[in-house]
Amino acid sequence: MRESVQAEIMMSFLVSEELSFRIPVELRYETCDPYAVRLTFHLPGDAPVTWAFGRELLIDGVGRPCGDGDVHIAPADPDAFGEVLIRLQVGSDHALFRSGAAPLVAFLDRTDKLVPLGQERSLADFDAHLDEALDRILAEEQSAG
């Protein structure tokens, strides 16, 4: 069984109303973390930046505004299916990206073929991976503190 789905798409990084530029973004979905998708942004002159958030958030955000906290996703035009805005925020800093909806939907369709939405829990090793991730996070926090 295949264990991941990947795609590379172009998104617009919206620096301001007057300035934007296109960047490659890698989308990745892995069965070892079946609830999440990862987007790796390749900004010119910087190291790639990866954000992980819920696959369901991306699915919902293609059709309607959604998200709390650091990630907000919404159609660029609520009356037309065409483009999606992804807003990522850390503290008072934020970045806004615009993507075509079609490549996101194609990617999400491939993730659904790998692990149908609602069937994430059926992965036998998910609990073990979750335990490993939690142990790693706790160890990092203890070594930092």
PDB file of all heavy atoms in Angstrom, residues 93-125:
ATOM      1  N   ASP A  93       2.556  38.262  13.227  1.00  0.00           N
ATOM      2  CA  ASP A  93       3.004  38.095  11.842  1.00  0.00           C
ATOM      3  C   ASP A  93       2.076  37.135  11.107  1.00  0.00           C
ATOM      4  O   ASP A  93       1.613  36.147  11.677  1.00  0.00           O
ATOM      5  CB  ASP A  93       4.433  37.530  11.802  1.00  0.00           C
ATOM      6  CG  ASP A  93       5.448  38.502  12.372  1.00  0.00           C
ATOM      7  OD1 ASP A  93       5.232  39.727  12.276  1.00  0.00           O
ATOM      8  OD2 ASP A  93       6.455  38.018  12.926  1.00  0.00           O
ATOM      9  N   HIS A  94       1.808  37.454   9.851  1.00  0.00           N
ATOM     10  CA  HIS A  94       0.989  36.553   9.052  1.00  0.00           C
ATOM     11  C   HIS A  94       1.478  36.535   7.614  1.00  0.00           C
ATOM     12  O   HIS A  94       2.193  37.436   7.171  1.00  0.00           O
ATOM     13  CB  HIS A  94      -0.499  36.934   9.115  1.00  0.00           C
ATOM     14  CG  HIS A  94      -0.832  38.159   8.334  1.00  0.00           C
ATOM     15  ND1 HIS A  94      -0.699  39.424   8.850  1.00  0.00           N
ATOM     16  CD2 HIS A  94      -1.273  38.300   7.067  1.00  0.00           C
ATOM     17  CE1 HIS A  94      -1.056  40.305   7.922  1.00  0.00           C
ATOM     18  NE2 HIS A  94      -1.399  39.661   6.831  1.00  0.00           N
ATOM     19  N   ALA A  95       1.090  35.489   6.916  1.00  0.00           N
ATOM     20  CA  ALA A  95       1.385  35.353   5.488  1.00  0.00           C
ATOM     21  C   ALA A  95       0.101  34.912   4.805  1.00  0.00           C
ATOM     22  O   ALA A  95      -0.647  34.089   5.329  1.00  0.00           O
ATOM     23  CB  ALA A  95       2.496  34.338   5.258  1.00  0.00           C
ATOM     24  N   LEU A  96      -0.138  35.472   3.631  1.00  0.00           N
ATOM     25  CA  LEU A  96      -1.352  35.171   2.882  1.00  0.00           C
ATOM     26  C   LEU A  96      -0.963  34.590   1.529  1.00  0.00           C
ATOM     27  O   LEU A  96      -0.130  35.160   0.818  1.00  0.00           O
ATOM     28  CB  LEU A  96      -2.191  36.436   2.711  1.00  0.00           C
ATOM     29  CG  LEU A  96      -3.550  36.285   2.040  1.00  0.00           C
ATOM     30  CD1 LEU A  96      -4.459  35.350   2.840  1.00  0.00           C
ATOM     31  CD2 LEU A  96      -4.214  37.655   1.874  1.00  0.00           C
ATOM     32  N   PHE A  97      -1.582  33.455   1.186  1.00  0.00           N
ATOM     33  CA  PHE A  97      -1.302  32.765  -0.065  1.00  0.00           C
ATOM     34  C   PHE A  97      -2.610  32.556  -0.820  1.00  0.00           C
ATOM     35  O   PHE A  97      -3.658  32.339  -0.218  1.00  0.00           O
ATOM     36  CB  PHE A  97      -0.647  31.404   0.193  1.00  0.00           C
ATOM     37  CG  PHE A  97       0.657  31.517   0.921  1.00  0.00           C
ATOM     38  CD1 PHE A  97       0.690  31.499   2.302  1.00  0.00           C
ATOM     39  CD2 PHE A  97       1.846  31.653   0.221  1.00  0.00           C
ATOM     40  CE1 PHE A  97       1.897  31.610   2.987  1.00  0.00           C
ATOM     41  CE2 PHE A  97       3.050  31.769   0.898  1.00  0.00           C
ATOM     42  CZ  PHE A  97       3.083  31.752   2.275  1.00  0.00           C
ATOM     43  N   ARG A  98      -2.524  32.606  -2.156  1.00  0.00           N
ATOM     44  CA  ARG A  98      -3.686  32.341  -3.012  1.00  0.00           C
ATOM     45  C   ARG A  98      -3.348  31.165  -3.911  1.00  0.00           C
ATOM     46  O   ARG A  98      -2.274  31.121  -4.511  1.00  0.00           O
ATOM     47  CB  ARG A  98      -4.046  33.562  -3.844  1.00  0.00           C
ATOM     48  CG  ARG A  98      -5.301  33.361  -4.691  1.00  0.00           C
ATOM     49  CD  ARG A  98      -5.693  34.588  -5.494  1.00  0.00           C
ATOM     50  NE  ARG A  98      -4.587  35.036  -6.301  1.00  0.00           N
ATOM     51  CZ  ARG A  98      -4.149  36.304  -6.348  1.00  0.00           C
ATOM     52  NH1 ARG A  98      -4.737  37.234  -5.620  1.00  0.00           N
ATOM     53  NH2 ARG A  98      -3.139  36.637  -7.116  1.00  0.00           N
ATOM     54  N   SER A  99      -4.276  30.219  -3.989  1.00  0.00           N
ATOM     55  CA  SER A  99      -4.076  29.031  -4.813  1.00  0.00           C
ATOM     56  C   SER A  99      -5.310  28.783  -5.647  1.00  0.00           C
ATOM     57  O   SER A  99      -6.425  29.120  -5.226  1.00  0.00           O
ATOM     58  CB  SER A  99      -3.833  27.813  -3.913  1.00  0.00           C
ATOM     59  OG  SER A  99      -3.824  26.626  -4.663  1.00  0.00           O
ATOM     60  N   GLY A 100      -5.107  28.174  -6.780  1.00  0.00           N
ATOM     61  CA  GLY A 100      -6.241  27.682  -7.531  1.00  0.00           C
ATOM     62  C   GLY A 100      -6.914  26.579  -6.727  1.00  0.00           C
ATOM     63  O   GLY A 100      -6.242  25.777  -6.065  1.00  0.00           O
ATOM     64  N   ALA A 101      -8.229  26.534  -6.753  1.00  0.00           N
ATOM     65  CA  ALA A 101      -8.947  25.497  -6.012  1.00  0.00           C
ATOM     66  C   ALA A 101      -8.758  24.123  -6.656  1.00  0.00           C
ATOM     67  O   ALA A 101      -8.647  23.116  -5.952  1.00  0.00           O
ATOM     68  CB  ALA A 101     -10.434  25.838  -5.938  1.00  0.00           C
ATOM     69  N   ALA A 102      -8.677  24.067  -7.970  1.00  0.00           N
ATOM     70  CA  ALA A 102      -8.600  22.783  -8.676  1.00  0.00           C
ATOM     71  C   ALA A 102      -7.410  21.925  -8.249  1.00  0.00           C
ATOM     72  O   ALA A 102      -7.588  20.732  -7.973  1.00  0.00           O
ATOM     73  CB  ALA A 102      -8.609  23.001 -10.187  1.00  0.00           C
ATOM     74  N   PRO A 103      -6.174  22.471  -8.168  1.00  0.00           N
ATOM     75  CA  PRO A 103      -5.082  21.597  -7.738  1.00  0.00           C
ATOM     76  C   PRO A 103      -5.205  21.142  -6.281  1.00  0.00           C
ATOM     77  O   PRO A 103      -4.785  20.030  -5.943  1.00  0.00           O
ATOM     78  CB  PRO A 103      -3.815  22.435  -7.949  1.00  0.00           C
ATOM     79  CG  PRO A 103      -4.257  23.820  -8.192  1.00  0.00           C
ATOM     80  CD  PRO A 103      -5.693  23.774  -8.592  1.00  0.00           C
ATOM     81  N   LEU A 104      -5.799  21.957  -5.439  1.00  0.00           N
ATOM     82  CA  LEU A 104      -6.027  21.543  -4.048  1.00  0.00           C
ATOM     83  C   LEU A 104      -7.043  20.409  -3.992  1.00  0.00           C
ATOM     84  O   LEU A 104      -6.846  19.418  -3.279  1.00  0.00           O
ATOM     85  CB  LEU A 104      -6.506  22.720  -3.197  1.00  0.00           C
ATOM     86  CG  LEU A 104      -5.519  23.858  -2.980  1.00  0.00           C
ATOM     87  CD1 LEU A 104      -6.181  24.991  -2.205  1.00  0.00           C
ATOM     88  CD2 LEU A 104      -4.271  23.371  -2.271  1.00  0.00           C
ATOM     89  N   VAL A 105      -8.116  20.532  -4.757  1.00  0.00           N
ATOM     90  CA  VAL A 105      -9.149  19.494  -4.789  1.00  0.00           C
ATOM     91  C   VAL A 105      -8.573  18.196  -5.364  1.00  0.00           C
ATOM     92  O   VAL A 105      -8.856  17.105  -4.854  1.00  0.00           O
ATOM     93  CB  VAL A 105     -10.385  19.971  -5.582  1.00  0.00           C
ATOM     94  CG1 VAL A 105     -11.346  18.828  -5.855  1.00  0.00           C
ATOM     95  CG2 VAL A 105     -11.088  21.094  -4.824  1.00  0.00           C
ATOM     96  N   ALA A 106      -7.747  18.295  -6.409  1.00  0.00           N
ATOM     97  CA  ALA A 106      -7.126  17.098  -6.991  1.00  0.00           C
ATOM     98  C   ALA A 106      -6.238  16.407  -5.958  1.00  0.00           C
ATOM     99  O   ALA A 106      -6.263  15.174  -5.828  1.00  0.00           O
ATOM    100  CB  ALA A 106      -6.319  17.475  -8.236  1.00  0.00           C
ATOM    101  N   PHE A 107      -5.455  17.184  -5.211  1.00  0.00           N
ATOM    102  CA  PHE A 107      -4.610  16.623  -4.165  1.00  0.00           C
ATOM    103  C   PHE A 107      -5.468  15.961  -3.082  1.00  0.00           C
ATOM    104  O   PHE A 107      -5.205  14.829  -2.667  1.00  0.00           O
ATOM    105  CB  PHE A 107      -3.724  17.719  -3.554  1.00  0.00           C
ATOM    106  CG  PHE A 107      -3.007  17.303  -2.309  1.00  0.00           C
ATOM    107  CD1 PHE A 107      -1.904  16.461  -2.371  1.00  0.00           C
ATOM    108  CD2 PHE A 107      -3.433  17.743  -1.059  1.00  0.00           C
ATOM    109  CE1 PHE A 107      -1.243  16.072  -1.209  1.00  0.00           C
ATOM    110  CE2 PHE A 107      -2.775  17.361   0.094  1.00  0.00           C
ATOM    111  CZ  PHE A 107      -1.677  16.520   0.016  1.00  0.00           C
ATOM    112  N   LEU A 108      -6.499  16.651  -2.629  1.00  0.00           N
ATOM    113  CA  LEU A 108      -7.373  16.112  -1.585  1.00  0.00           C
ATOM    114  C   LEU A 108      -8.089  14.851  -2.054  1.00  0.00           C
ATOM    115  O   LEU A 108      -8.289  13.916  -1.270  1.00  0.00           O
ATOM    116  CB  LEU A 108      -8.371  17.171  -1.130  1.00  0.00           C
ATOM    117  CG  LEU A 108      -7.751  18.316  -0.329  1.00  0.00           C
ATOM    118  CD1 LEU A 108      -8.726  19.485  -0.211  1.00  0.00           C
ATOM    119  CD2 LEU A 108      -7.295  17.833   1.047  1.00  0.00           C
ATOM    120  N   ASP A 109      -8.443  14.790  -3.332  1.00  0.00           N
ATOM    121  CA  ASP A 109      -9.066  13.592  -3.883  1.00  0.00           C
ATOM    122  C   ASP A 109      -8.108  12.409  -3.799  1.00  0.00           C
ATOM    123  O   ASP A 109      -8.508  11.292  -3.453  1.00  0.00           O
ATOM    124  CB  ASP A 109      -9.495  13.839  -5.330  1.00  0.00           C
ATOM    125  CG  ASP A 109     -10.230  12.653  -5.909  1.00  0.00           C
ATOM    126  OD1 ASP A 109     -11.238  12.231  -5.320  1.00  0.00           O
ATOM    127  OD2 ASP A 109      -9.779  12.136  -6.964  1.00  0.00           O
ATOM    128  N   ARG A 110      -6.829  12.649  -4.079  1.00  0.00           N
ATOM    129  CA  ARG A 110      -5.828  11.580  -3.972  1.00  0.00           C
ATOM    130  C   ARG A 110      -5.637  11.134  -2.525  1.00  0.00           C
ATOM    131  O   ARG A 110      -5.438   9.963  -2.258  1.00  0.00           O
ATOM    132  CB  ARG A 110      -4.499  12.047  -4.582  1.00  0.00           C
ATOM    133  CG  ARG A 110      -4.593  12.203  -6.102  1.00  0.00           C
ATOM    134  CD  ARG A 110      -3.333  12.780  -6.733  1.00  0.00           C
ATOM    135  NE  ARG A 110      -2.152  12.032  -6.364  1.00  0.00           N
ATOM    136  CZ  ARG A 110      -0.969  12.592  -6.143  1.00  0.00           C
ATOM    137  NH1 ARG A 110      -0.805  13.898  -6.271  1.00  0.00           N
ATOM    138  NH2 ARG A 110       0.073  11.854  -5.818  1.00  0.00           N
ATOM    139  N   THR A 111      -5.703  12.086  -1.570  1.00  0.00           N
ATOM    140  CA  THR A 111      -5.584  11.689  -0.158  1.00  0.00           C
ATOM    141  C   THR A 111      -6.778  10.835   0.249  1.00  0.00           C
ATOM    142  O   THR A 111      -6.635   9.888   1.007  1.00  0.00           O
ATOM    143  CB  THR A 111      -5.469  12.900   0.798  1.00  0.00           C
ATOM    144  OG1 THR A 111      -6.719  13.587   0.895  1.00  0.00           O
ATOM    145  CG2 THR A 111      -4.365  13.844   0.386  1.00  0.00           C
ATOM    146  N   ASP A 112      -7.957  11.169  -0.284  1.00  0.00           N
ATOM    147  CA  ASP A 112      -9.165  10.430   0.047  1.00  0.00           C
ATOM    148  C   ASP A 112      -9.122   9.013  -0.514  1.00  0.00           C
ATOM    149  O   ASP A 112      -9.666   8.083   0.083  1.00  0.00           O
ATOM    150  CB  ASP A 112     -10.400  11.166  -0.458  1.00  0.00           C
ATOM    151  CG  ASP A 112     -11.681  10.596   0.137  1.00  0.00           C
ATOM    152  OD1 ASP A 112     -11.825  10.645   1.378  1.00  0.00           O
ATOM    153  OD2 ASP A 112     -12.520  10.101  -0.642  1.00  0.00           O
ATOM    154  N   LYS A 113      -8.471   8.841  -1.646  1.00  0.00           N
ATOM    155  CA  LYS A 113      -8.317   7.493  -2.205  1.00  0.00           C
ATOM    156  C   LYS A 113      -7.359   6.657  -1.352  1.00  0.00           C
ATOM    157  O   LYS A 113      -7.516   5.449  -1.237  1.00  0.00           O
ATOM    158  CB  LYS A 113      -7.823   7.576  -3.644  1.00  0.00           C
ATOM    159  CG  LYS A 113      -8.897   8.042  -4.600  1.00  0.00           C
ATOM    160  CD  LYS A 113      -8.398   8.057  -6.025  1.00  0.00           C
ATOM    161  CE  LYS A 113      -9.543   8.302  -6.979  1.00  0.00           C
ATOM    162  NZ  LYS A 113      -9.625   9.642  -7.462  1.00  0.00           N
ATOM    163  N   LEU A 114      -6.382   7.319  -0.747  1.00  0.00           N
ATOM    164  CA  LEU A 114      -5.427   6.627   0.117  1.00  0.00           C
ATOM    165  C   LEU A 114      -6.057   6.296   1.469  1.00  0.00           C
ATOM    166  O   LEU A 114      -5.985   5.162   1.935  1.00  0.00           O
ATOM    167  CB  LEU A 114      -4.177   7.491   0.301  1.00  0.00           C
ATOM    168  CG  LEU A 114      -3.011   6.888   1.065  1.00  0.00           C
ATOM    169  CD1 LEU A 114      -2.488   5.638   0.368  1.00  0.00           C
ATOM    170  CD2 LEU A 114      -1.891   7.915   1.196  1.00  0.00           C
ATOM    171  N   VAL A 115      -6.674   7.299   2.092  1.00  0.00           N
ATOM    172  CA  VAL A 115      -7.367   7.122   3.374  1.00  0.00           C
ATOM    173  C   VAL A 115      -8.668   7.919   3.283  1.00  0.00           C
ATOM    174  O   VAL A 115      -8.644   9.147   3.363  1.00  0.00           O
ATOM    175  CB  VAL A 115      -6.527   7.643   4.568  1.00  0.00           C
ATOM    176  CG1 VAL A 115      -7.301   7.479   5.872  1.00  0.00           C
ATOM    177  CG2 VAL A 115      -5.186   6.951   4.641  1.00  0.00           C
ATOM    178  N   PRO A 116      -9.792   7.237   3.079  1.00  0.00           N
ATOM    179  CA  PRO A 116     -11.059   7.965   2.976  1.00  0.00           C
ATOM    180  C   PRO A 116     -11.332   8.799   4.223  1.00  0.00           C
ATOM    181  O   PRO A 116     -11.031   8.378   5.351  1.00  0.00           O
ATOM    182  CB  PRO A 116     -12.101   6.850   2.823  1.00  0.00           C
ATOM    183  CG  PRO A 116     -11.329   5.688   2.269  1.00  0.00           C
ATOM    184  CD  PRO A 116      -9.963   5.803   2.890  1.00  0.00           C
ATOM    185  N   LEU A 117     -11.891   9.984   3.999  1.00  0.00           N
ATOM    186  CA  LEU A 117     -12.234  10.864   5.100  1.00  0.00           C
ATOM    187  C   LEU A 117     -13.154  10.116   6.064  1.00  0.00           C
ATOM    188  O   LEU A 117     -14.110   9.474   5.651  1.00  0.00           O
ATOM    189  CB  LEU A 117     -12.928  12.121   4.570  1.00  0.00           C
ATOM    190  CG  LEU A 117     -13.129  13.248   5.562  1.00  0.00           C
ATOM    191  CD1 LEU A 117     -11.780  13.769   6.063  1.00  0.00           C
ATOM    192  CD2 LEU A 117     -13.919  14.384   4.929  1.00  0.00           C
ATOM    193  N   GLY A 118     -12.837  10.175   7.342  1.00  0.00           N
ATOM    194  CA  GLY A 118     -13.601   9.465   8.358  1.00  0.00           C
ATOM    195  C   GLY A 118     -13.029   8.090   8.683  1.00  0.00           C
ATOM    196  O   GLY A 118     -13.431   7.469   9.660  1.00  0.00           O
ATOM    197  N   GLN A 119     -12.082   7.621   7.869  1.00  0.00           N
ATOM    198  CA  GLN A 119     -11.481   6.300   8.092  1.00  0.00           C
ATOM    199  C   GLN A 119     -10.071   6.397   8.666  1.00  0.00           C
ATOM    200  O   GLN A 119      -9.371   5.393   8.756  1.00  0.00           O
ATOM    201  CB  GLN A 119     -11.435   5.520   6.764  1.00  0.00           C
ATOM    202  CG  GLN A 119     -12.785   5.263   6.167  1.00  0.00           C
ATOM    203  CD  GLN A 119     -13.663   4.416   7.079  1.00  0.00           C
ATOM    204  OE1 GLN A 119     -13.214   3.393   7.590  1.00  0.00           O
ATOM    205  NE2 GLN A 119     -14.881   4.860   7.321  1.00  0.00           N
ATOM    206  N   GLU A 120      -9.644   7.593   9.060  1.00  0.00           N
ATOM    207  CA  GLU A 120      -8.288   7.789   9.561  1.00  0.00           C
ATOM    208  C   GLU A 120      -7.981   6.875  10.748  1.00  0.00           C
ATOM    209  O   GLU A 120      -6.893   6.319  10.862  1.00  0.00           O
ATOM    210  CB  GLU A 120      -8.065   9.252   9.976  1.00  0.00           C
ATOM    211  CG  GLU A 120      -8.181  10.235   8.840  1.00  0.00           C
ATOM    212  CD  GLU A 120      -9.601  10.759   8.638  1.00  0.00           C
ATOM    213  OE1 GLU A 120     -10.542  10.229   9.260  1.00  0.00           O
ATOM    214  OE2 GLU A 120      -9.757  11.709   7.850  1.00  0.00           O
ATOM    215  N   ARG A 121      -8.928   6.711  11.618  1.00  0.00           N
ATOM    216  CA  ARG A 121      -8.722   5.935  12.848  1.00  0.00           C
ATOM    217  C   ARG A 121      -8.499   4.453  12.560  1.00  0.00           C
ATOM    218  O   ARG A 121      -7.958   3.732  13.378  1.00  0.00           O
ATOM    219  CB  ARG A 121      -9.931   6.119  13.765  1.00  0.00           C
ATOM    220  CG  ARG A 121      -9.737   5.589  15.133  1.00  0.00           C
ATOM    221  CD  ARG A 121      -9.581   6.744  16.111  1.00  0.00           C
ATOM    222  NE  ARG A 121      -9.460   6.230  17.445  1.00  0.00           N
ATOM    223  CZ  ARG A 121      -8.332   6.286  18.138  1.00  0.00           C
ATOM    224  NH1 ARG A 121      -7.278   6.841  17.627  1.00  0.00           N
ATOM    225  NH2 ARG A 121      -8.279   5.800  19.345  1.00  0.00           N
ATOM    226  N   SER A 122      -8.912   4.009  11.381  1.00  0.00           N
ATOM    227  CA  SER A 122      -8.795   2.589  11.048  1.00  0.00           C
ATOM    228  C   SER A 122      -7.361   2.154  10.769  1.00  0.00           C
ATOM    229  O   SER A 122      -7.089   0.957  10.679  1.00  0.00           O
ATOM    230  CB  SER A 122      -9.672   2.252   9.842  1.00  0.00           C
ATOM    231  OG  SER A 122      -9.149   2.877   8.682  1.00  0.00           O
ATOM    232  N   LEU A 123      -6.456   3.094  10.659  1.00  0.00           N
ATOM    233  CA  LEU A 123      -5.060   2.745  10.423  1.00  0.00           C
ATOM    234  C   LEU A 123      -4.510   2.089  11.682  1.00  0.00           C
ATOM    235  O   LEU A 123      -4.474   2.690  12.754  1.00  0.00           O
ATOM    236  CB  LEU A 123      -4.234   3.968  10.046  1.00  0.00           C
ATOM    237  CG  LEU A 123      -4.642   4.639   8.736  1.00  0.00           C
ATOM    238  CD1 LEU A 123      -3.820   5.874   8.504  1.00  0.00           C
ATOM    239  CD2 LEU A 123      -4.511   3.681   7.584  1.00  0.00           C
ATOM    240  N   ALA A 124      -4.055   0.882  11.562  1.00  0.00           N
ATOM    241  CA  ALA A 124      -3.646   0.088  12.719  1.00  0.00           C
ATOM    242  C   ALA A 124      -2.522   0.721  13.518  1.00  0.00           C
ATOM    243  O   ALA A 124      -2.496   0.632  14.742  1.00  0.00           O
ATOM    244  CB  ALA A 124      -3.251  -1.312  12.267  1.00  0.00           C
ATOM    245  N   ASP A 125      -1.585   1.365  12.851  1.00  0.00           N
ATOM    246  CA  ASP A 125      -0.421   1.884  13.564  1.00  0.00           C
ATOM    247  C   ASP A 125      -0.558   3.349  13.963  1.00  0.00           C
ATOM    248  O   ASP A 125       0.381   3.934  14.469  1.00  0.00           O
ATOM    249  CB  ASP A 125       0.849   1.675  12.751  1.00  0.00           C
ATOM    250  CG  ASP A 125       0.805   2.372  11.402  1.00  0.00           C
ATOM    251  OD1 ASP A 125      -0.264   2.876  11.014  1.00  0.00           O
ATOM    252  OD2 ASP A 125       1.846   2.394  10.734  1.00  0.00           O
TER     253      ASP A 125
END
